[in-house]
Amino acid sequence: MSMNRDFHGFNTVSNSNIPRRERKARQQRVAILSAFAVLALMLIIGVAIIISSLSEGKKGGELESNDDKYENSELMDAAKDIVYASVTLSDADVKKGTLVLVDREHAYSFPEDNTHLARIFTVYSAHADAKPYILGISEFMEAEALVNMDKLLTEYYKQTGDDNIVLNEAYRTYEEQDKLSIPAGHSDHHTGLGCTLKIVGADDEKTDLNEDPEAYAWIVANAHKYGFVVRYPESKTEQTGIEGYEYYFRYVGVAHATYMKANDLCLEEYVELVKNYSYDGEHLRVLGYDGKTYEIYYAAVDGDTAVKCPTNYNYTASGTNEGGVIVTIDITQKVTAGDSEG
């Protein structure tokens, strides 16, 4: 009995056998060690964050636009080596290209023919075996945009195994648009550069892609790699005038899509930004996801206008449909005079 009492006593009053000063010193040591442990943990987390950021920067400067300095001296030399010549552009050139604005204020100028369009089924049928996505209701899409949308959806299928995304509405004629809410002539669908994406659920019903958070997140995170942006982000309703149409993806080209995504810009905002860059002033310099470096600037066009364009590097001159063109120069590969793409 006494043994049990002694044992019980040992458990409950053992600290009383230790001098108070020693107990206090021990508590201080424990507190100091705890503080060092917390600091060490914070340091480890901080280093991890920095390493992660640097890693993202290296592979996703794909998402980071370059500032005013080139990291590569060869590219800097290339920028200085550009030879320009005057190219006459007209009001018709302002109204076509991958950067045209089409909205309630800017009507689309329909071309005389539809040679810029490609049949969606032709590209789709090239997938001889498993089809990576589903065809929707549209028959045509702008050729370059279609090829890149096919690549985007094919990559999604390869990465996820999901073949339930529907390439739904792309090009619309004036007559088709006339039956809908947005006035005919003022829909971005007229360009053929964009399309809506839907997804087939378990019940075989088609819903807007943004109703499937996982699939939508993947497409939004990767669309810029193929030159696409969400044309009407919910957060940009004030700028675009369109609400709730986040599943419509618009082709603008890799250089512009990279910059727009990195800087959270809709097309209206991007066009306004590029107006700050001119041929004889500072150019916007962008490192695209494709690894190419681009020089970009704006030129106003009123009637037949001489616009400076490069002769020794590939370039595009896209109209904005609001009075000017955006010149985009690929300075990663020099070409012989006369071979550059206009």
Side-chain angles (χ1 to χ4, degrees):
M1 189 72 175
S2 61
M3 181 179 293
N4 288 337
R5 185 169 56 251
D6 290 342
F7 183 74
H8 179 73
F10 177 79
N11 282 331
T12 57
V13 301
S14 60
N15 282 342
S16 65
N17 297 324
I18 301 173
R20 183 176 300 175
R21 182 179 301 174
E22 183 177 342
R23 288 204 309 274
K24 186 175 181 179
R26 178 180 295 177
Q27 292 172 350
Q28 290 176 339
R29 288 196 296 271
V30 171
I32 292 172
L33 289 174
S34 297
F36 273 116
V38 171
L39 289 173
L41 179 60
M42 291 176 65
L43 180 61
I44 291 172
I45 292 174
V47 170
I49 291 174
I50 292 172
I51 291 174
S52 176
S53 298
L54 290 174
S55 176
E56 284 298 316
K58 289 177 181 178
K59 63 182 179 182
E62 295 110 357
L63 296 183
E64 295 284 343
S65 57
N66 279 359
D67 59 15
D68 293 334
K69 296 180 180 178
Y70 285 116
E71 296 179 1
N72 188 317
S73 60
E74 291 182 3
L75 293 177
M76 184 179 293
D77 292 339
K80 296 177 181 178
D81 188 42
I82 299 175
V83 177
Y84 294 91
S86 293
V87 175
T88 300
L89 299 179
S90 66
D91 290 335
D93 294 305
V94 170
K95 298 175 182 179
K96 60 185 179 182
T98 58
L99 296 172
V100 292
L101 286 170
V102 180
D103 50 34
R104 294 183 186 274
E105 296 180 1
H106 305 95
Y108 180 65
S109 181
F110 288 87
E112 294 182 359
D113 56 52
N114 289 325
T115 55
H116 62 298
L117 298 177
R119 194 176 297 275
I120 297 174
F121 181 75
T122 300
V123 174
Y124 181 75
S125 61
H127 297 281
D129 299 320
K131 299 294 190 282
Y133 54 92
I134 300 170
L135 291 187
I137 64 176
S138 285
E139 186 176 0
F140 297 102
M141 191 169 178
E142 194 276 339
E144 184 178 346
L146 173 59
V147 168
N148 284 282
M149 177 55 70
D150 178 79
K151 290 178 180 179
L152 171 61
L153 297 182
T154 300
E155 185 61 25
Y156 171 77
Y157 171 66
K158 289 180 179 178
Q159 295 297 323
T160 67
D162 182 4
D163 59 358
N164 290 313
I165 289 185
V166 183
L167 195 168
N168 199 47
E169 290 188 88
Y171 172 73
R172 284 184 195 153
T173 65
Y174 185 96
E175 292 72 24
E176 289 169 337
Q177 186 63 40
D178 202 28
K179 305 171 185 177
L180 304 172
S181 59
I182 296 177
H186 292 265
S187 170
D188 196 86
H189 279 282
H190 293 319
T191 68
L193 289 164
C195 65
T196 61
L197 296 180
K198 289 183 174 287
I199 194 159
V200 177
D203 54 1
D204 289 333
E205 289 191 9
K206 297 177 183 177
T207 58
D208 300 335
L209 185 63
N210 55 340
E211 295 296 321
D212 184 322
E214 188 172 344
Y216 187 71
W218 194 99
I219 295 295
V220 170
N222 291 277
H224 68 284
K225 301 175 183 178
Y226 301 88
F228 286 89
V229 295
V230 176
R231 177 65 182 90
Y232 303 108
E234 194 69 34
S235 61
K236 304 293 183 179
T237 299
E238 183 177 348
Q239 290 82 1
T240 65
I242 301 294
E243 183 178 8
Y245 205 32
E246 292 192 304
Y247 54 98
Y248 177 75
F249 292 83
R250 161 67 186 269
Y251 184 76
V252 294
V254 173
H256 309 291
T258 300
Y259 191 91
M260 289 170 67
K261 181 174 179 60
N263 294 277
D264 188 28
L265 299 174
C266 65
L267 185 56
E268 284 79 2
E269 292 174 313
Y270 181 67
V271 169
E272 283 301 311
L273 178 140
V274 178
K275 286 182 180 180
N276 296 315
Y277 299 89
S278 62
Y279 154 72
D280 54 359
E282 182 183 7
H283 294 179
L284 178 64
R285 294 163 182 168
V286 175
L287 173 62
Y289 184 85
D290 54 8
K292 297 180 179 180
T293 299
Y294 298 90
E295 291 251 348
I296 301 168
Y297 57 91
Y298 178 89
V301 174
D302 184 9
D304 289 343
T305 304
V307 176
K308 293 291 187 180
C309 297
T311 62
N312 56 342
Y313 288 90
N314 283 332
Y315 77 95
T316 60
S318 170
T320 60
N321 201 28
E322 50 73 83
V325 297
I326 292 177
V327 179
T328 306
I329 309 170
D330 172 9
I331 67 168
T332 55
Q333 186 173 5
K334 192 172 183 178
V335 297
T336 57
D339 290 341
S340 59
E341 299 174 358

